[in-house]
Amino acid sequence: MLLITMLTLGYLAGGMREQEMREIKLHGVTKLGLKNIIDFIYTSKVNLDMVNLQETLEAANFLQVMPVLSFCNQLLSSEITIDNCGEVERIATDLLLKDLQLNIGEFVRQNLSALVECGRYLQLSETSMANALAKNSLQGFSELELYHIAKGWLEYDYPNRRSSVYGLMRHIRFPLMSPSELIQISQDDEEGAESMMRSDTACVNLLLEASNYQMMPFMQPALQTERTQIRSDDTHILALGGVMRQQLVVSRELRLYDEKSGIWRALKPMEVPRYQHGVALLGGFLFIVGGQSTYDTKGKTAIDTAYRYDPRFDKWLQIASLNEKRTFFHLSALKGKLFAVGGRNTSGEIDTVECYNLRKNEWTFVTNMVEPHYGHAGTVHGNLMYISGGITRDTFQKELWCYDPAADKWSRRSDMMELRGLHCMCTAGERLYVMGGNHFRGSSDYDDVLGCEFYSPDTDQWSVVAPMPRGQSDVGVTVFEGQIYVVWGYSWNSRCMVDIVQRYDPEKDVWERVFNVLEPLGGIRACTMTVHLPEGSVDEAQIQECPLPTDKS
């Protein structure tokens, strides 16, 4: 115990009852720690090193000298190592140093492999272990490996850590394990001296949850929880399919744009080449539906097959096919279901709408559009689907239709300002943007539509925004970090497919050309998705497909 006199009382006890006392008793403050605090008061400087840091920190915390606390936080955070992280964590916990606790948590996440290898992780607290295991950004481990790490930490001091079993195990993503791995865990638990999982009902439920999840593969997008999420924070622009300019080859590539390196990377290709297809995200999965696998301009080679991409394992799963083949149509995810709207096929323009039910893995027809449409665009806002423009009976449209899935009913909203088809549409904030496309010039030729506009659902009004610098029709569109990206497509003014990506900033109302792509593609689709970042880049040799038969009739 130290006594502090009136020398520093004005600084430390201003406005407090201790200000009237000649001496104040300081419990738990050492002479060295207090000396550093007094030196700081008079010089605004503090001499810190790993020898005097803890005593200084305790004194600063006791006396609430915030600048010194901040300095100590910074020094400790910069000096965290594999060997001392357990001790630093204890200091941070005892003194309630929240910033330091956060830094410890990040250090553990980044260095968990090294901590496990040397056994230092066994001295960490339950909080640090749980925080690390909960992170989406914790990569480099399988879920089975993480289970054994958690189990090892618990077994190190099981009598005192028994109550922490569920606290750790609930962060293990058992649904992402294989059935054989789940069986192995159950068998090991039965054979062990301590039945860690079976002795806790909540832990038993974790294994049952995983088993049920795997037994219903088509339902998985509707069963997503924190334990089924991908362990990744890498969100990127994805582009898939399209028809290449050279030899009119249809692509089956799924590509990811790595913004940091400025290169395209390859994910697992689609099972079937396609363009003019529908894409939608639902429950962390990517769905591709319909389109064409063979090039023709009339939609005669439309297909009905559908697939689902799982970014956690970089795998494709075929789901139920559409009831009706369709291309040049729109696909939306809405209220846990998929809706395929309009399009064209060998019978011509179609007005039918199909709804995909995850639980039943089947498509059923819902209320038709008022008129057949193809080449239209759509988006979702507020549990409603909006469909704009397109072509009806060879005539470009500027209508906006709204579909309410709860009522299974279509209603018309205010028309766009310009006729357009083969354009794109997306939602950014409370605005529904319509961009690009083409329309008739005269009676038989086409022009790019450079004008862009947005719709406000609350007011049922359209407003003009900055036009596109270069025309793009039949494109992919996605919103990434608040910006709208329009990728690839066809320019009717130039009469060619384009290899550009244009970006629109809704806040500044400005367009810019951001980066080129490897090969001009039309009928491509795009989305923004969280994935595992693959290694290696895509070059033109990798994306070339064997030429497919074409039908230009």
Side-chain angles (χ1 to χ4, degrees):
M1 179 180 70
L2 289 178
L3 300 179
I4 183 168
T5 68
M6 293 298 294
L7 181 65
T8 56
L9 194 56
Y11 181 87
L12 297 175
M16 301 171 63
R17 64 183 179 86
E18 285 85 351
Q19 193 169 12
E20 306 300 325
M21 301 170 60
R22 295 190 61 188
E23 295 181 340
I24 301 174
K25 296 179 180 180
L26 302 180
H27 298 274
V29 177
T30 67
K31 180 179 178 180
L32 177 59
L34 182 60
K35 178 182 182 301
N36 270 351
I37 297 300
I38 294 174
D39 287 346
F40 173 76
I41 292 171
Y42 282 99
T43 67
S44 297
K45 297 179 181 179
V46 61
N47 180 28
L48 287 178
D49 55 40
M50 293 305 293
V51 175
N52 67 19
L53 187 141
Q54 183 166 350
E55 293 178 76
T56 305
L57 185 56
E58 289 171 348
N61 187 63
F62 184 89
L63 299 169
Q64 286 297 286
V65 184
M66 304 311 294
V68 177
L69 272 176
S70 178
F71 296 150
C72 292
N73 259 305
Q74 293 174 25
L75 178 59
L76 274 174
S77 296
S78 66
E79 295 292 333
I80 301 172
T81 67
I82 298 295
D83 292 331
N84 71 13
C85 65
E87 178 62 19
V88 174
E89 182 195 23
R90 183 193 63 76
I91 295 172
T93 302
D94 290 346
L95 300 180
L96 300 177
L97 304 176
K98 293 183 179 180
D99 289 344
L100 183 56
Q101 288 174 324
L102 291 174
N103 290 330
I104 281 286
E106 183 61 17
F107 179 87
V108 171
R109 181 194 67 79
Q110 293 180 357
N111 297 276
L112 185 59
S113 180
L115 288 166
V116 170
E117 185 176 352
C118 69
R120 294 284 184 181
Y121 83 105
L122 297 171
Q123 278 77 47
L124 294 173
S125 69
E126 177 188 350
T127 299
S128 287
M129 288 296 297
N131 287 342
L133 293 172
K135 294 290 187 181
N136 284 338
S137 53
L138 180 61
Q139 299 180 34
F141 298 92
S142 69
E143 293 302 321
L144 183 61
E145 289 171 334
L146 292 177
Y147 163 77
H148 284 297
I149 290 171
K151 184 181 178 184
W153 183 90
L154 291 163
E155 290 177 338
Y156 181 73
D157 187 10
Y158 192 60
N160 293 316
R161 294 178 176 179
R162 181 191 297 269
S163 61
S164 301
V165 174
Y166 179 72
L168 288 195
M169 292 303 178
R170 70 188 183 93
H171 298 299
I172 305 300
R173 303 184 184 185
F174 292 102
L176 304 189
M177 294 184 185
S178 67
S180 61
E181 289 173 336
L182 292 176
I183 292 173
Q184 178 187 335
I185 288 173
S186 297
Q187 290 176 342
D188 291 347
D189 197 56
E190 291 176 1
E191 296 170 359
E194 293 284 355
S195 179
M196 190 175 295
M197 297 293 288
R198 289 187 299 111
S199 62
D200 189 315
T201 302
C203 289
V204 172
N205 289 336
L206 292 177
L207 297 178
L208 290 175
E209 174 193 54
S211 179
N212 291 335
Y213 184 80
Q214 294 180 357
M215 290 172 61
M216 297 182 285
F218 299 110
M219 274 288 291
Q220 287 181 6
L223 300 175
Q224 296 299 79
T225 69
E226 61 183 8
R227 283 180 290 278
T228 64
Q229 294 179 14
I230 185 173
R231 278 207 189 266
S232 174
D233 285 332
D234 290 319
T235 300
H236 300 278
I237 295 172
L238 272 61
L240 60 161
V243 59
M244 300 181 188
R245 177 174 59 188
Q246 296 178 350
Q247 300 176 322
L248 298 178
V249 174
V250 180
S251 171
R252 66 187 188 99
E253 296 300 321
L254 174 60
R255 308 178 185 92
L256 169 155
Y257 185 70
D258 184 353
E259 298 78 20
K260 292 182 180 179
S261 63
I263 62 175
W264 289 89
R265 301 183 185 274
L267 297 170
K268 186 171 183 179
M270 296 182 288
E271 298 291 327
V272 179
R274 64 183 69 209
Y275 77 112
Q276 301 292 3
H277 45 298
V279 299
L281 297 178
L282 181 59
F285 294 84
L286 169 63
F287 290 82
I288 59 164
V289 178
Q292 298 170 234
S293 291
T294 303
Y295 178 77
D296 84 86
T297 60
K298 303 296 183 181
K300 293 182 179 180
T301 59
I303 57 178
D304 56 10
T305 53
Y307 291 84
R308 188 189 78 195
Y309 175 72
D310 186 341
R312 302 167 303 182
F313 306 108
D314 195 27
K315 290 183 178 179
W316 290 93
L317 172 71
Q318 185 167 9
I319 63 172
S321 296
L322 293 161
N323 292 301
E324 191 169 13
K325 296 178 180 180
R326 61 184 76 222
T327 184
F328 291 96
F329 71 107
H330 175 70
L331 183 73
S332 269
L334 182 61
K335 300 194 74 172
K337 297 181 178 180
L338 299 177
F339 292 86
V341 182
R344 68 193 304 193
N345 55 29
T346 53
S347 65
E349 302 169 6
I350 53 180
D351 60 3
T352 58
V353 181
E354 297 187 49
C355 173
Y356 177 69
N357 186 307
L358 296 170
R359 186 177 300 276
K360 298 180 180 179
N361 185 34
E362 69 176 13
W363 294 86
T364 56
F365 288 106
V366 294
T367 299
N368 290 357
M369 301 183 76
V370 176
E371 291 185 300
H373 281 69
Y374 77 92
H376 47 286
T379 191
V380 169
H381 179 271
N383 290 327
L384 299 173
M385 177 171 59
Y386 293 83
I387 299 294
S388 63
I391 304 168
T392 299
R393 301 184 184 89
D394 293 327
T395 302
F396 283 88
Q397 304 294 320
K398 58 180 179 179
E399 298 172 353
L400 178 67
W401 289 91
C402 177
Y403 176 73
D404 182 351
D408 189 23
K409 183 179 179 180
W410 289 92
S411 59
R412 188 167 176 177
R413 303 297 169 89
S414 294
D415 289 353
M416 295 185 293
M417 297 181 180
E418 291 195 65
L419 298 167
R420 67 179 82 216
L422 298 175
H423 55 295
C424 61
M425 188 176 186
C426 65
T427 300
E430 296 301 311
R431 296 177 174 182
L432 281 55
Y433 286 88
V434 170
M435 300 166 166
N438 67 305
H439 59 190
F440 278 131
R441 178 180 63 195
S443 59
S444 60
D445 209 350
Y446 299 93
D447 262 346
D448 289 328
V449 178
L450 299 179
C452 302
E453 49 193 303
F454 72 82
Y455 175 75
S456 299
D458 290 342
T459 60
D460 190 31
Q461 291 182 339
W462 289 91
S463 302
V464 175
V465 294
M468 302 179 76
R470 184 175 180 185
Q472 287 174 272
S473 297
D474 206 7
V475 297
V477 63
T478 189
V479 178
F480 177 71
E481 296 183 346
Q483 312 275 296
I484 300 173
Y485 289 76
V486 182
V487 304
W488 277 285
Y490 187 86
S491 170
W492 288 93
N493 290 357
S494 302
R495 296 297 187 270
C496 68
M497 295 173 191
V498 297
D499 59 353
I500 63 171
V501 175
Q502 297 185 102
R503 179 174 63 196
Y504 175 73
D505 186 333
E507 290 190 4
K508 298 179 180 178
D509 190 27
V510 171
W511 283 93
E512 63 176 328
R513 181 168 170 171
V514 284
F515 50 82
N516 287 348
V517 291
L518 297 173
E519 172 79 10
L521 290 160
I524 196 169
R525 297 296 179 257
C527 66
T528 297
M529 193 175 192
T530 301
V531 297
H532 291 301
L533 188 65
E535 297 180 357
S537 61
V538 180
D539 58 34
E540 291 195 34
Q542 288 177 283
I543 66 173
Q544 295 298 324
E545 307 274 353
C546 294
L548 297 172
T550 62
D551 180 0
K552 301 181 183 179
S553 59

